[in-house]
Amino acid sequence: KTPADILQQRELQYYFGDRVHFVCSRERSDICSHFGHVDEAYLKATIDDFSQEFYVSGPPAFTQAVKTTLKSEGSQARSMDFG
């Protein structure tokens, strides 16, 4: 939603560098590489290699939709569930 909603931003940037993508849908920011929603069109336009490993976090409906798209492109996506 907003940069304030990004959990562990610094740690993710430290470990993943330019491979981490933060997407904001309610507030534009330099931290967010994309403003809008993560949907099939965004994933296909952004990802060059679907054989790499992906970790998806978010609400269950969101993670399921993203994982469905990733898997349809040949990915082995995993989700991170935060009770």
Side-chain angles (χ1 to χ4, degrees):
K1 297 177 189 181
T2 72
D5 295 313
I6 300 170
L7 299 175
Q8 305 296 324
Q9 173 201 339
R10 289 184 186 142
E11 289 83 355
L12 290 168
Q13 287 175 316
Y14 175 79
Y15 288 110
F16 297 104
D18 62 355
R19 295 179 302 162
V20 68
H21 294 267
F22 300 119
V23 177
C24 296
S25 60
R26 294 194 182 166
E27 182 181 313
R28 293 183 186 274
S29 169
D30 291 339
I31 294 169
C32 300
S33 57
H34 177 71
F35 179 77
H37 295 278
V38 175
D39 56 15
E40 184 175 352
Y42 170 80
L43 293 171
K44 288 181 176 181
T46 306
I47 299 168
D48 294 329
D49 179 11
F50 282 91
S51 67
Q52 64 185 310
E53 196 165 24
F54 294 91
Y55 291 93
V56 181
S57 65
F62 168 78
T63 57
Q64 187 56 49
V66 170
K67 288 192 318 184
T68 296
T69 298
L70 292 173
K71 287 179 181 180
S72 74
E73 296 297 321
S75 172
Q76 297 295 318
R78 296 180 187 171
S79 64
M80 295 167 46
D81 299 314
F82 299 102

